[in-house]
Amino acid sequence: MRVAGAHVLLTGATGDIGRHLASRLAQAGARVTLVARSRAPLDALAAQVGGHALPTDLTDRAALRGVVPAAESALGPVDVLVNNAGTETAGHLADLDADGLEELVALNLLAPAELCRQALPGMTARGRGHLVNISSLAGVGTVPGLAAYGATKAGLTHLTSGLRADLRGGPVGTLAVEIGPVASVMMGRIGSHPPAAAAFERLLQARALTMLDPDDVARAVVAAVESGRPTLRMPRRTAPLAAVTHAPRSLVRLALTGIHPSRARTAEHAP
């Protein structure tokens, strides 16, 4: 998927990674529709990168269902969907409130799934497209205080794996991005929970993880889309551990070699 000239729909655009993604995508020649909850910073970012601002609360079910149609009405068919929006609730599960837990699941898992559902029919009909889901290594192995967050990210990674199976043999690609801790406002909030802070400090001191630069992540994501990689893991040193977690998915994919669900579905829906 060439980014130059493509219409990219990016959620979570005003976050630390999102801002760099918006800039990198625009620099690569993409037309970008930027989605975030707060209008003022979103408008400022859109003006900065020459993108289209689409203020939306992705936890609002009615608003969520109109995102792809609104983006396509403004800039034409969506070629690349980047589900970057996400949040965390650092703390013991029993200490979380019900509304916060529901919002976490809605933003981190339900919204990406719904946006993929909206974008897929058009991508398939046009014979091109790419679905990018920004997940986390917390979905591979989580730390104290991130049980709910890790569960949503594990679900997002598994969703992407399932989409890859569904789309095998077709024109739409997928990219699962699994990243470790990023220098960000979110990481600062996670660090306010002492058990989570202690866990990350130990992992960083042991060099099992490194603190990632959000611009490095953005640059790597754009490169992965253009190269057609199905998975991007950062930092690289975590790839072996993540591969162990993904082994069952890889074995199933190997066992199903030659089965192309997307082609069969296209044939079923042919006039």
Side-chain angles (χ1 to χ4, degrees):
M1 170 60 69
R2 295 294 299 169
V3 171
H7 178 194
V8 181
L9 173 57
L10 169 66
T11 70
T14 56
D16 291 283
I17 295 175
R19 293 195 307 273
H20 289 281
L21 275 170
S23 179
R24 288 286 177 182
L25 288 164
Q27 289 173 18
R31 295 172 291 117
V32 291
T33 293
L34 307 175
V35 176
R37 186 177 303 186
S38 301
R39 177 178 289 276
L42 187 64
D43 285 342
L45 179 64
Q48 177 184 333
V49 303
H52 171 66
L54 185 59
T56 310
D57 180 355
L58 296 178
T59 65
D60 181 320
R61 294 174 64 185
L64 173 63
R65 290 173 182 173
V67 169
V68 170
E72 295 191 331
S73 176
L75 294 184
V78 170
D79 300 301
V80 182
L81 168 64
V82 182
N83 282 308
N84 171 65
T87 189
E88 89 300 326
T89 52
H92 195 285
L93 183 65
D95 295 331
L96 304 182
D97 65 87
D99 289 342
L101 182 59
E102 289 182 7
E103 182 173 309
L104 177 79
V105 176
L107 184 59
N108 290 8
L109 183 56
L110 295 182
E114 169 59 18
L115 292 178
C116 288
R117 187 194 70 80
Q118 291 179 29
L120 265 173
M123 289 180 176
T124 303
R126 293 186 296 272
R128 67 191 302 266
H130 219 78
L131 303 173
V132 181
N133 289 326
I134 309 295
S135 187
S136 169
L137 289 172
V140 174
T142 193
V143 301
L146 295 182
Y149 174 78
T152 62
K153 290 303 185 178
L156 183 58
T157 299
H158 204 63
L159 171 72
T160 314
S161 178
L163 283 170
R164 184 182 175 193
D166 280 346
L167 299 170
R168 190 171 188 171
V172 180
T174 64
L175 171 62
V177 181
E178 296 176 297
I179 53 177
V182 177
S184 62
V185 173
M186 179 186 288
M187 197 62 205
R189 291 194 300 264
I190 291 173
S192 67
H193 181 62
F200 277 111
E201 181 64 22
R202 176 174 294 183
L203 292 170
L204 290 167
Q205 287 184 350
R207 300 186 62 79
L209 292 173
T210 58
M211 191 66 71
L212 299 170
D213 183 292
D215 189 53
D216 289 341
V217 174
R219 184 172 58 247
V221 169
V222 174
V225 170
E226 294 210 311
S227 66
R229 290 179 58 178
T231 306
L232 171 64
R233 298 182 181 115
M234 298 178 72
R236 290 183 180 179
R237 67 189 64 184
T238 63
L241 175 62
V244 171
T245 303
H246 285 272
R249 300 183 185 115
S250 300
L251 289 173
V252 170
R253 188 160 51 248
L254 181 63
L256 299 180
T257 298
I259 296 176
H260 301 294
S262 61
R263 293 177 185 171
R265 189 174 184 276
T266 299
E268 288 175 1
H269 289 78

